[in-house]
Amino acid sequence: MALSPLWRKIVAIAGIVVFAIAGGIGINAVYGLNPTLGSVFGIVDDNPIVVPTNTATADPDAGPLYETFTPPADMPAKGQQGTQVIPATASGFNTRAAGIYLPPAALVPNAPALPLVIMMMGHPGNPDPSAIAGVLDDFAAKNKGLAPIVVVPDQLGPDGNDPACADSKAYGNAETYVTKDVVAWATQNLYIIQDPKYWVIAGYSNGGGCAVKYLAKYPDQWKNLIDISGEPFPGSEDPGSVTSTIYGGDTTAFEAAKPIAIMQAAPAGTYDGMTAVFTAGAQDPTYIQAAEDVSGEAQAVGMTVTSYEVPGAGHVGDALTGGLQEGFTVMYPVLGLSAK
């Protein structure tokens, strides 16, 4: 048999690479969540951000920021995005660099202390702040440059696993990383209002399931939630595998870790005063039902709940952007960033 000419082999190999990239980009276009080629392959751009230092004393009791903050004439029109390696001191979790968003008001001399948002993305996915940064830049442009400071931690790790928002021997201490390491780093390194009344735990899809679990389980740590097309509970896409891999086959422990179960087990009054926003794409019936189930329990235990269906959206792209827009429309007055 005659051997194929070398040029044909080269073309064939190149074709495989091109088709693989094209397929990945096609999937990416459907999901609309990874704006760079590196993101498609799970690579987080190395763009270390310089976090401004500020030694001023924050006084949230002085009045809402929309009343007390006067932006300087040279304030940037948009915020800054970048990355930051957050040490996994308590968790030891193997993680990629977190995404960071600093709004315009954080980039001026004598900047005010700002609210904090911890936002988690989906699975598969990357700790990319682009989507939330774009939405908050628009809000900031209408509100004196004011927006929350955002940390987008990697709740998944670099290997493409789904730790199901839990600590486990299989995939490491993902829960401790977000709820302890990320929070500690934010309070020590970002000029934020230290009162959890001004903190939001947020997430999209997998991250939404994490967000509502963490709000339910750690009610003293966050007082506000934005759950965008969130899973009804971590591991909802493959409960059998998660029960086996994450919980060692302990069905009781798996059931107890579901957000609704956590809320139902909490003492009366635990969630009073909390604000929660649940969104889903209007063309995404599975996650509409999930939002209805979890938001119904959130309302039953005392949270102030907003539910919203993003018109024309499925589970991706527009669902994320539209969910963030609705979420911050509700949260801006709650966080003192705009008038009611």
Side-chain angles (χ1 to χ4, degrees):
M1 179 181 295
L3 296 176
S4 299
L6 179 60
W7 68 268
R8 287 186 179 177
K9 293 182 179 179
I10 294 172
V11 170
I13 293 170
I16 292 171
V17 174
V18 168
F19 286 128
I21 292 174
I25 291 173
I27 294 169
N28 184 52
V30 172
Y31 280 80
L33 302 180
N34 294 318
T36 69
L37 186 60
S39 296
V40 174
F41 293 101
I43 300 169
V44 179
D45 291 338
D46 184 16
N47 180 28
I49 193 167
V50 177
V51 178
T53 57
N54 195 323
T55 58
T57 301
D59 184 10
D61 296 329
L65 283 168
Y66 76 89
E67 290 184 345
T68 60
F69 176 64
T70 301
D74 60 351
M75 183 180 68
K78 294 184 178 294
Q80 289 184 359
Q81 302 175 48
T83 60
Q84 183 69 231
V85 175
I86 297 178
T89 306
S91 66
F93 187 58
N94 183 22
T95 180
R96 295 167 289 181
I100 305 291
Y101 168 74
L102 301 174
L107 303 175
V108 300
N110 300 312
L114 293 165
L116 171 69
V117 172
I118 293 178
M119 168 81 185
M120 292 165 284
M121 295 297 288
H123 175 262
N126 307 294
D128 189 331
S130 300
I132 192 170
V135 169
L136 287 177
D137 272 345
D138 289 342
F139 274 87
K142 301 171 186 175
N143 293 281
K144 299 183 177 180
L146 292 168
I149 292 174
V150 180
V151 180
V152 184
D154 177 20
Q155 85 277 12
L156 302 174
D159 298 325
N161 300 314
D162 178 9
C165 322
D167 291 348
S168 70
K169 293 181 180 178
Y171 298 137
N173 297 327
E175 179 175 333
T176 297
Y177 175 68
V178 175
T179 62
K180 298 293 188 290
D181 291 325
V182 174
V183 171
W185 182 87
T187 57
Q188 295 165 14
N189 293 278
L190 300 174
Y191 193 52
I192 57 173
I193 301 172
Q194 297 287 328
D195 186 345
K197 175 183 175 182
Y198 298 93
W199 294 7
V200 181
I201 185 75
Y204 160 71
S205 194
N206 177 283
C210 291
V212 70
K213 175 190 174 181
Y214 296 159
L215 180 85
K217 190 171 180 179
Y218 303 99
D220 293 334
Q221 194 151 273
W222 290 282
K223 300 300 180 184
N224 307 287
L225 167 75
I226 300 176
D227 183 352
I228 302 164
S229 301
E231 295 179 351
F233 54 87
S236 62
E237 293 186 341
D238 193 354
S241 176
V242 168
T243 302
S244 173
T245 303
I246 305 298
Y247 293 93
D250 189 340
T251 302
T252 300
F254 176 61
E255 293 295 328
K258 293 180 178 180
I260 288 178
I262 295 170
M263 287 188 275
Q264 290 175 340
T270 296
Y271 305 106
D272 290 352
M274 290 187 176
T275 300
V277 180
F278 295 85
T279 75
Q283 307 302 318
D284 190 15
T286 298
Y287 286 85
I288 289 174
Q289 187 62 58
E292 290 177 353
D293 292 344
V294 183
S295 66
E297 187 60 37
Q299 189 165 15
V301 297
M303 298 186 205
T304 299
V305 172
T306 298
S307 297
Y308 178 73
E309 293 182 15
V310 182
H315 188 65
V316 296
D318 291 346
L320 174 58
T321 302
L324 287 168
Q325 289 168 341
E326 176 65 17
F328 285 109
T329 296
V330 173
M331 288 297 169
Y332 254 61
V334 173
L335 300 176
L337 301 176
S338 68
K340 294 187 182 295

